[in-house]
Amino acid sequence: SARKNYVTLAMIGMGGILLMSWIFISDNPVKKRYLDLEHGDISMIMQDTFNANTVFNGAQIRLLQWRYANQIMREHNAWIFGVTSGNSQDLLNAKYREAHMFMGIPHTHRTGFTDYNFHNQYIEMTVRTGIVGLAALLYICWLMIELAVRRRTAEAGFTVLALLSICMVQSFLTMQHGVFAFVFMPLALLDS
C-alpha cells in the first residue's frame, strides 16, 4: 500500500513537471497570463480613479479588489457579520464605478468589470459574511485537511490542496460547479 502511494505520488509529480515544462516551452494562454505579470506598475492600485481604458494584469486587479474589500468592510462597519451576499457584489460594482473603471457597453457581450467578483474565496466570504463566515470556511478547510491526513494518500492530499488553492485565486463557491466540487470531492475521499 505504501509502495502504491509512492508510485502514485511519483506519477503525479512527473505529470506536474511535464505540464509545467510544456507551459514554459510552448506558446500558450497560461504562459502569456503569467508573463503579463511582469508588465505594469503595482503601485497603480493606490490610485483612486482610472481611465476607462486602463488594462490591469492579474496581480493588479486582485490587489485592487482586496483594497476595495477592505474599504467596503470599513465603510459599512461589517467586520463581524459582513455586508451580506446580496450586497457584496453591488458594493464592489459601486467601487468600480467610483474609480471610473470600464463597466461595459449595455446590451452587448462587453460587460467590463460589471459583476467581476473578488477572485478569492476567502476575501469573498469575509466581505459577504464577515469574520464569522470566514471562521466557518476555515473550519471546513481544517476538516478537509484532517481528512486528507487521516487518509494518508496522494489523492486525498492532492484533492484537498487543489480545493484550498483554487479558493485563493477564484471565488470558487459563488459558482454552482465550485460548490459541487467542494462538497463532492471530500465526500468521495471518505469512501476511498
Side-chain angles (χ1 to χ4, degrees):
S1 176
R3 179 166 165 69
K4 181 182 174 187
N5 288 340
Y6 289 125
V7 170
T8 302
L9 189 57
M11 290 176 64
I12 290 172
M14 289 300 290
I17 290 170
L18 289 173
L19 178 65
M20 294 304 286
S21 299
W22 175 77
I23 288 172
F24 287 117
I25 293 171
S26 68
D27 186 28
N28 61 73
V30 174
K31 179 180 176 182
K32 289 177 184 173
R33 180 85 182 217
Y34 284 99
L35 289 176
D36 188 41
L37 293 176
E38 295 176 358
H39 308 291
D41 180 16
I42 289 292
S43 66
M44 76 178 282
I45 67 160
M46 297 312 294
Q47 292 176 213
D48 290 328
T49 60
F50 302 94
N51 180 313
N53 296 323
T54 301
V55 176
F56 299 91
N57 68 29
Q60 291 168 322
I61 190 63
R62 280 171 174 79
L63 290 172
L64 184 63
Q65 289 166 333
W66 296 358
R67 179 178 157 221
Y68 289 160
N70 182 37
Q71 289 175 356
I72 290 168
M73 299 295 283
R74 279 188 294 114
E75 290 168 3
H76 297 275
N77 197 20
W79 291 102
I80 304 296
F81 296 110
V83 296
T84 74
S85 296
N87 290 334
S88 71
Q89 189 61 55
D90 291 340
L91 294 170
L92 184 57
N93 285 345
K95 289 290 181 189
Y96 294 148
R97 274 191 297 282
E98 289 170 15
H100 306 291
M101 295 167 70
F102 179 62
M103 296 303 289
I105 299 171
H107 311 296
T108 68
H109 68 282
R110 297 185 64 199
T111 59
F113 288 99
T114 302
D115 294 333
Y116 204 69
N117 65 30
F118 288 102
H119 284 75
N120 180 307
Q121 188 60 55
Y122 305 106
I123 301 290
E124 186 92 33
M125 186 64 75
T126 305
V127 173
R128 287 177 173 212
T129 60
I131 300 298
V132 171
L134 179 63
L137 176 62
L138 292 177
Y139 180 67
I140 292 167
C141 293
W142 175 255
L143 292 175
M144 287 193 310
I145 292 168
E146 265 187 355
L147 175 63
V149 169
R150 275 196 319 244
R151 287 285 171 225
R152 297 180 192 246
T153 64
E155 296 87 357
F158 177 79
T159 300
V160 171
L161 182 63
L163 288 173
L164 299 181
S165 297
I166 199 167
C167 288
M168 292 177 162
V169 295
Q170 187 52 261
S171 294
F172 193 55
L173 299 177
T174 61
M175 301 171 285
Q176 185 176 5
H177 60 279
V179 172
F180 176 78
F182 205 79
V183 171
F184 175 75
M185 296 305 289
L187 290 175
L189 294 176
L190 286 174
D191 193 40
S192 63

